[in-house]
């Protein structure tokens, strides 16, 4: 796809799946295929050694491969707006880490999700949003975990309703759900 094809290509893509399902790899390949300048918006925070290792691995995977990385744990809309251009693809990885960050900072998650959903139509380039599907397992045993699952589920529904394409990834295999 060339940048001139952007008018007919899906502008907003939501990619859902479980942990280690292949969501990021699928999304990165989709971004590369677009032929557009690639911008990676990372929402993860390194609270412990395991997360520091994960973040380092993601950075290593993209190093020297034409990616511009933006690290933004809270102001996702600001980061998308600042990086957005018609000749770019923005890959946000991931929405569930963003929700976690908002919860940890006592933000209004529903209002933040509404604001993100509302701005989707104004993005000039291609936007790929990656998120963990957390609603397929057992009911979490504690209140915070249940609230997290509920916030993520509501956010996914709002974004999926507005997205041009939605994929569910399992075992590295994409299932196109919309578009």
């Amino acid at each position: 796809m060339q940048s001139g094809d952007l008018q007919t290509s899906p502008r907003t893509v939501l990619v859902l799946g479980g942990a280690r399902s292949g969501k990021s790899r699928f999304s990165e390949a989709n971004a590369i295929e677009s032929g557009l300048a690639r911008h990676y918006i990372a929402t993860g925070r390194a609270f412990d050694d395991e997360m520091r290792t994960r973040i380092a691995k993601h950075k290593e995977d993209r190093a020297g491969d034409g990616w511009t990385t933006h690290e933004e744990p809270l102001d996702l809309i600001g980061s998308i707006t600042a990086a957005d251009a018609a000749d770019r693809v923005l890959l946000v990885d991931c929405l569930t880490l963003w929700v976690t960050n908002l919860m940890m900072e006592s933000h209004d998650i529903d209002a933040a999700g509404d604001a993100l959903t509302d701005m989707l139509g104004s993005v000039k380039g291609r936007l790929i949003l990656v998120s963990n599907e957390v609603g397929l397992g057992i009911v979490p045993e504690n209140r915070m975990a249940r609230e997290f699952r509920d916030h993520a589920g509501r956010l996914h529904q709002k974004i999926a309703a507005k997205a041009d394409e939605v994929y569910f990834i399992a075992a590295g295999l994409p299932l196109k759900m919309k578009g």
Side-chain angles (χ1 to χ4, degrees), residues 18-170:
R20 294 289 179 246
S21 62
K23 301 177 303 292
S24 295
R25 186 173 57 250
F26 173 83
S27 299
E28 289 169 9
N30 187 295
I32 291 167
E33 264 180 33
S34 76
L36 302 170
R38 300 186 303 272
H39 287 255
Y40 194 100
I41 301 174
T43 62
R45 284 178 154 169
F47 288 116
D48 58 27
D49 287 340
E50 187 268 339
M51 193 63 177
R52 276 187 278 282
T53 301
R54 282 179 182 255
I55 290 171
K57 173 76 169 110
H58 271 278
K59 285 180 178 179
E60 179 184 310
D61 289 347
R62 291 187 313 275
D65 196 20
W67 290 96
T68 299
T69 299
H70 312 266
E71 295 185 16
E72 182 49 62
L74 295 169
D75 186 15
L76 183 56
I77 294 169
S79 190
I80 290 170
T81 302
D84 187 29
D87 63 344
R88 293 180 179 173
V89 58
L90 311 177
L91 193 163
V92 175
D93 199 353
C94 85
L95 293 178
T96 42
L97 287 175
W98 179 60
V99 168
T100 299
N101 296 335
L102 293 173
M103 287 181 75
M104 300 296 280
E105 301 282 334
S106 299
H107 286 257
D108 184 336
I109 293 105
D110 289 328
D114 288 344
L116 176 62
T117 303
D118 289 346
M119 66 90 56
L120 294 180
S122 66
V123 174
K124 298 176 208 92
R126 183 174 173 86
L127 180 63
I128 303 169
L129 302 162
V130 178
S131 200
N132 291 297
E133 176 51 61
V134 295
L136 297 174
I138 60 172
V139 175
E141 69 177 27
N142 68 74
R143 180 180 175 185
M144 184 178 195
R146 287 189 300 274
E147 287 176 357
F148 169 77
R149 177 206 55 197
D150 294 348
H151 285 304
R154 284 191 298 271
L155 178 63
H156 293 160
Q157 289 180 53
K158 290 174 191 176
I159 291 176
K162 285 203 128 173
D164 299 302
E165 287 183 350
V166 178
Y167 290 90
F168 184 80
I169 311 297

